[in-house]
Amino acid sequence: MKLYNPLKRQWLDVEINLPERRKGLIVCPTFFDMHTHVRLNDQEDYDSLSKAAIVGGFSAVLIQPNTKPCIENEEVLKRHVELAKDKPVRFYWSVSLFGELEPDGERTLCYSNDGIEYDTPKIVKAFRTKRPHLLLDHSQLHELGGIFYEGVALRVEKRPINSEAVSIFRNVMLGLEYGFKEFHIQHVSTKLSIETIQHSKKYAKVTCEVTPHHLFFSMDDVKSTNFKINPPLATEQDRKALLEAVEKDIVDVFATDHAPHPEKQNDFEKAPFGTSNIEVAFSAFYTITNQLEKTIEKLAFKPREILNLKMPQCSEELLIVDPYAEWIVDVKKFHSKGKNSVFDGVKLRGRIIGVKLSGRWVYWDGEFLTDEG
């Protein structure tokens, strides 16, 4: 079989004992998602998220802090750690930039302001008082409001499409003044944001991610509340600019921004933000970019590099992928409790066939092989 090593960017011939022999399968390292949401409170929990992550090929994920209650103190963090205990997927956490916690580099890897409303005085106060560390930055001018960008054909409150880029520059420059040197810009959505990130790299260590939905769709595709996403879908020109940034490796990471909700009400003003992506992310990224090696690199290697985590040994953890499989997404078959996917009914290419974790096969061709899965 052929194994792709994203660290060395080369294909290797390997012999692997599979539960079932098939032609055309390839091997690669397991994925790491830098941007995952867990809900608790009878919604997406660590059991359902663990299953969904495995189906998507993710052996580890980084949880964002905007849970209820927010991950901003030791008591809440301990609850999450206990709930995630003994799951086959490894869970790490980002902690609120505005709370009591600081990253420890082991279970809590960085700060994040994702899903937390803030303004300029609030983020300056945080930069002044916190020990500098990597910040995952949800770049938004919250004081402007708006649930979609200007230009969308909906009668809803809108925000300037350039507001994301303005926030990126604001947050990086302000953070630098108070000793922060590493910034990872989350779910980039516009052409100007990409250009702002390139400019910001002159002053700080700045990396960024894109989601499958921002590469796949534009504001012209909005047809239901499942397409209410934060940041919103931008123009077709912006979508193409994001794809070009992927091609040029300006975009470092592919991340899911898995934001599950059991069902969204049919009201754009009242429906929550987010789309459930973790089970389909690999296929969506591969389909829209048509680049298998780059997709593996940005899902498996780059997130771990940014977070200073080691790549897993393929003898213990690996994925079996069918790059030729074509399939249609059906949210009713999701293991996630989130059925709110913009990819429902979309035809995708490439599929995770097998997942090996801790030295044993836990998933094969749609079936979990151990009780832990």
Side-chain angles (χ1 to χ4, degrees):
M1 296 183 68
K2 292 290 186 180
L3 179 148
Y4 185 66
N5 183 333
L7 182 61
K8 297 183 178 180
R9 293 188 170 182
Q10 61 182 205
W11 287 94
L12 305 171
D13 290 310
V14 295
E15 289 292 332
I16 295 178
N17 293 322
L18 303 178
E20 174 191 8
R21 285 287 172 184
R22 292 188 191 179
K23 291 183 179 180
L25 301 181
I26 63 101
V27 188
C28 70
T30 55
F31 304 147
F32 187 108
D33 189 25
M34 279 186 73
H35 196 147
T36 312
H37 295 275
V38 67
R39 300 298 184 196
L40 309 182
N41 305 317
D42 297 323
Q43 296 191 36
E44 186 85 297
D45 55 33
Y46 283 99
D47 289 320
S48 59
L49 178 56
S50 184
K51 289 183 178 180
I54 289 172
V55 172
F58 295 91
S59 64
V61 302
L62 179 64
I63 299 296
Q64 296 305 298
N66 64 323
T67 54
K68 294 182 180 179
C70 185
I71 304 176
E72 59 183 5
N73 60 56
E74 191 64 31
E75 181 181 356
V76 174
L77 177 62
K78 284 182 178 180
R79 182 188 176 204
H80 281 266
V81 171
E82 183 62 29
L83 290 170
K85 187 178 179 181
D86 297 328
K87 299 293 184 287
V89 169
R90 287 190 300 280
F91 289 98
Y92 299 90
W93 292 268
S94 55
V95 298
S96 170
L97 179 66
F98 311 107
E100 302 171 7
L101 297 172
E102 294 185 343
D104 61 21
E106 295 181 2
R107 61 180 184 179
T108 56
L109 302 181
C110 52
Y111 296 113
S112 175
N113 56 26
D114 188 52
I116 303 170
E117 289 198 14
Y118 62 92
D119 57 15
T120 301
K122 186 173 181 178
I123 200 167
V124 167
K125 181 180 179 181
F127 284 142
R128 279 176 173 158
T129 56
K130 290 294 185 181
R131 175 174 56 89
H133 206 284
L134 170 66
L135 169 64
L136 306 190
D137 188 49
H138 176 130
S139 308
Q140 181 177 345
L141 301 178
H142 290 275
E143 55 268 38
L144 294 181
I147 61 176
F148 282 91
Y149 284 140
E150 295 284 1
V152 72
L154 293 171
R155 292 184 177 179
V156 294
E157 186 182 5
K158 299 169 188 176
R159 70 182 78 161
I161 199 167
N162 290 335
S163 60
E164 180 181 70
V166 174
S167 181
I168 291 170
F169 190 74
R170 174 195 64 177
N171 292 354
V172 171
M173 292 301 113
L174 291 175
L176 276 171
E177 184 167 345
Y178 295 100
F180 281 69
K181 298 178 181 179
E182 296 180 73
F183 306 85
H184 178 78
I185 311 303
Q186 297 181 307
H187 40 43
V188 180
S189 64
T190 72
K191 180 177 185 291
L192 187 59
S193 292
I194 290 293
E195 294 172 356
T196 304
I197 288 165
Q198 288 179 281
H199 178 72
S200 300
K201 288 176 184 281
K202 298 177 183 179
Y203 307 99
K205 183 178 179 181
V206 182
T207 57
C208 68
E209 70 188 35
V210 292
T211 71
H213 43 280
H214 285 108
L215 291 184
F216 223 96
F217 301 103
S218 74
M219 64 172 62
D220 297 331
D221 298 306
V222 174
K223 59 177 182 272
S224 73
T225 53
N226 284 341
F227 288 78
K228 182 183 176 182
I229 299 158
N230 198 16
L233 296 171
T235 68
E236 180 65 10
Q237 181 185 13
D238 290 300
R239 189 188 73 83
K240 290 179 177 178
L242 295 180
L243 283 169
E244 183 179 349
V246 168
E247 178 66 29
K248 294 180 178 179
D249 285 328
I250 299 168
V251 169
D252 303 277
V253 167
F254 285 168
T256 74
D257 192 7
H258 176 67
H261 298 282
E263 187 177 359
K264 285 192 183 185
Q265 58 199 113
N266 190 28
D267 184 322
F268 282 103
E269 295 287 351
K270 296 179 180 179
F273 289 101
T275 171
S276 180
N277 281 349
I278 201 164
E279 294 178 60
V280 303
F282 162 75
S283 302
F285 281 124
Y286 177 41
T287 300
I288 198 62
T289 64
N290 197 33
Q291 296 195 48
L292 182 60
E293 293 93 340
K294 193 179 289 288
T295 298
I296 294 171
E297 289 167 14
K298 295 185 186 302
L299 283 171
F301 171 60
K302 291 301 292 186
R304 292 179 169 106
E305 181 184 51
I306 291 169
L307 295 168
N308 293 313
L309 298 173
K310 293 181 179 179
M311 288 288 291
Q313 294 185 352
C314 274
S315 60
E316 294 295 307
E317 290 189 7
L318 55 81
L319 302 178
I320 304 297
V321 176
D322 184 347
Y324 306 104
E326 293 187 341
W327 58 292
I328 296 175
V329 178
D330 182 355
V331 297
K332 294 189 295 293
K333 297 180 180 179
F334 277 10
H335 291 273
S336 169
K337 293 182 180 180
K339 312 303 180 186
N340 55 309
S341 179
V342 294
F343 291 99
D344 190 29
V346 174
K347 186 177 182 179
L348 299 177
R349 183 161 62 99
R351 195 160 196 175
I352 306 299
I353 299 297
V355 181
K356 187 178 185 181
L357 300 178
S358 301
R360 58 180 178 173
W361 296 102
V362 298
Y363 178 81
W364 186 263
D365 197 19
E367 299 291 334
F368 289 98
L369 305 182
T370 66
D371 293 337
E372 287 85 350

